[in-house]
Amino acid sequence: MMAMNIERFVSEGKGNGLRALREIKAGEVIHSCEPYAFCIAKDFLKTACHSCLKRDESLSRCSQCKTARYCSVQCQKQAWPDHKRECKCLKRLQPRIPTDSVRLLTRIIFKLLGQSESDQEDLYSIAEHQSHLADMSEEKKEGLGHLCTTLQLYLGEENHDLSQLPPGLDPVSLLARVTCNCFSISDGELQDVGVGLYPSMSLLNHDCQPNCVMIFEGKRLTLRAVRLIRPCEEVHFFLIELLKESQALLHRYADVVPDRNIYVLRLLDLAMDACISLGDYETALEYGHRALEPYKLYYSDPHPSRAVELLRVGKLQHYLSRLEEAQGTFTQAYDIMKVTHGTDHALTNEVRRKLSECQAELGQV
């Protein structure tokens, strides 16, 4: 268990971190845990079990909300404690579905309201997560405000319970904590089928020479060593170095090499992918915006590559609740894809669905 393998400590120059309490061999499981709360990603609501995340095209759906789907009666029973209050919220907004972040936050709120001392994470609690609200731009704070408006509509009569949340954990603060610390839950094909909060795993820092990897089995996160880890050695995983190198090169040549340079464009895509993987969606969107003009230059309309890039940027705008921007971006992507992919292609259907979601959410706020 966690208490036997790793402990929390202050990592020099990095803040909180995790380190080994004993020697851990390559291939050994360091820690394995279920999420404090999770939800299925919007794109997989109809094809992934809302309990075990198993993929299937013929799942049984909840008779009340018509949204949650399950691969078996057992999964539906196991999911009921987390779905019970959520079910009323989903039913209230039919056929509209809130964003992943709003649905995850709602599950966290319900969990906090019914939480006992035994439910507390032993290394890191939600209250200890940093919200970074003071460092956020006004634009991002405004986005959080829009999401909170959607949250209030989603909660409906449950709104009065928010006053019972633990001190300091108001909806805006919680939303900021969630967006900074949640993990994308990927399946065996590395598709992001859900999003979850694993409080203690938020202590993990990144390094260019990682000693562990994260693997998901359903919604269970398993941290596994990829090389020998010595006692008192920090446990960390890879990705930040790719982002650092990409950002360093982009900054170094910003004044002499334009974004339309093919190599700079590749760096922008790399940096965008790294930021998405690290959950830094705001920065990812900045790189995505910079890449759009070069894509338009190299891939004259209608071209499928530009449509896919527009879809990626639109998803980020939608996630960050920049609904009007997302609506415009999805419209551009759809106008291209209906020509290059046809109106029945899966990607075209995805863009059309995203566009409808934006229009519905704009009607709410």
Side-chain angles (χ1 to χ4, degrees):
M1 296 299 292
M2 179 181 287
M4 297 174 59
N5 290 339
I6 50 180
E7 67 175 358
R8 176 179 173 178
F9 81 117
V10 177
S11 178
E12 186 176 353
K14 298 180 182 179
N16 288 311
L18 294 173
R19 66 183 176 190
L21 285 171
R22 62 173 181 83
E23 183 176 280
I24 303 173
K25 295 181 173 61
E28 190 175 345
V29 172
I30 301 170
H31 178 60
S32 185
C33 62
E34 295 285 326
Y36 179 84
F38 83 101
C39 72
I40 299 294
K42 227 172 181 181
D43 291 341
F44 293 90
L45 285 173
K46 295 181 179 179
T47 58
C49 174
H50 289 222
S51 177
C52 69
L53 277 69
K54 177 183 176 182
R55 301 276 293 283
D56 198 320
E57 294 296 331
S58 56
L59 299 168
S60 300
R61 67 180 184 177
C62 173
S63 60
Q64 296 298 312
C65 68
K66 314 294 184 185
T67 300
R69 296 173 186 251
Y70 305 98
C71 64
S72 66
V73 173
Q74 182 182 6
C75 271
Q76 187 165 9
K77 287 181 178 178
Q78 289 177 344
W80 182 243
D82 289 328
H83 180 59
K84 185 177 181 180
R85 296 180 73 174
E86 170 193 65
C87 186
K88 298 177 183 177
C89 299
L90 288 166
K91 188 176 180 180
R92 183 183 300 110
L93 280 190
Q94 284 179 347
R96 301 187 298 274
I97 305 292
T99 60
D100 297 349
S101 56
V102 168
R103 286 183 292 115
L104 176 60
L105 177 60
T106 300
R107 284 191 158 207
I108 291 171
I109 286 172
F110 290 154
K111 189 78 174 282
L112 285 169
L113 291 173
Q115 181 172 268
S116 65
E117 289 299 320
S118 60
D119 294 324
Q120 294 283 347
E121 282 270 335
D122 52 349
L123 285 182
Y124 206 45
S125 68
I126 294 177
E128 291 179 284
H129 282 92
Q130 298 298 309
S131 67
H132 301 291
L133 277 171
D135 303 322
M136 286 185 186
S137 65
E138 290 304 315
E139 189 175 25
K140 189 166 185 179
K141 288 179 182 176
E142 184 179 351
L144 291 178
H146 286 313
L147 287 174
C148 282
T149 300
T150 304
L151 173 70
Q152 290 172 345
L153 290 168
Y154 185 48
L155 286 172
E157 61 190 28
E158 308 273 0
N159 267 304
H160 67 274
D161 290 341
L162 295 180
S163 61
Q164 300 174 33
L165 285 169
L169 294 182
D170 58 277
V172 174
S173 174
L174 274 172
L175 188 56
R177 285 172 164 86
V178 169
T179 54
C180 291
N181 294 284
C182 64
F183 289 87
S184 293
I185 302 173
S186 57
D187 63 9
E189 299 174 5
L190 299 182
Q191 289 186 298
D192 294 339
V193 297
V195 59
L197 186 67
Y198 301 78
S200 291
M201 291 299 95
S202 299
L203 290 166
L204 281 167
N205 289 311
H206 309 86
D207 195 88
C208 58
Q209 294 183 317
N211 53 23
C212 69
V213 292
M214 285 184 182
I215 300 294
F216 287 96
E217 297 176 84
K219 59 182 180 290
R220 174 169 283 274
L221 185 158
T222 297
L223 196 64
R224 191 179 293 272
V226 294
R227 61 174 176 82
L228 181 68
I229 302 174
R230 304 290 183 185
C232 295
E233 181 181 348
E234 182 170 3
V235 177
H236 40 60
F237 66 108
F238 175 77
L239 199 59
I240 197 71
E241 194 64 20
L242 171 63
L243 179 58
K244 282 183 178 179
E245 287 300 319
S246 299
Q247 289 177 324
L249 287 169
L250 288 169
H251 178 73
R252 186 182 307 163
Y253 298 109
D255 295 330
V256 291
V257 184
D259 288 349
R260 65 176 180 273
N261 180 282
I262 191 65
Y263 297 105
V264 173
L265 180 56
R266 289 179 182 176
L267 283 174
L268 288 171
D269 278 336
L270 281 173
M272 181 181 177
D273 290 339
C275 286
I276 291 172
S277 297
L278 290 167
D280 186 357
Y281 303 113
E282 192 80 33
T283 307
L285 181 56
E286 291 177 15
Y287 290 126
H289 275 147
R290 288 177 60 180
L292 284 181
E293 281 304 313
Y295 264 87
K296 188 174 182 179
L297 175 66
Y298 289 118
Y299 303 106
S300 299
D301 288 343
H303 196 287
S305 293
R306 181 163 181 262
V308 170
E309 187 71 2
L310 284 164
L311 173 58
R312 277 160 42 92
V313 170
K315 283 182 175 181
L316 288 167
Q317 291 168 331
H318 188 207
Y319 183 84
L320 293 168
S321 202
R322 300 183 183 182
L323 300 178
E324 292 184 357
E325 293 178 29
Q327 180 178 244
T329 304
F330 286 138
T331 299
Q332 291 182 66
Y334 180 71
D335 287 343
I336 296 172
M337 281 190 183
K338 66 184 180 183
V339 176
T340 60
H341 293 67
T343 55
D344 295 327
H345 192 278
L347 272 180
T348 311
N349 288 332
E350 181 181 357
V351 175
R352 186 163 50 230
R353 185 171 64 253
K354 289 289 187 184
L355 187 54
S356 297
E357 290 171 6
C358 281
Q359 291 167 341
E361 288 171 36
L362 280 168
Q364 292 176 30
V365 298

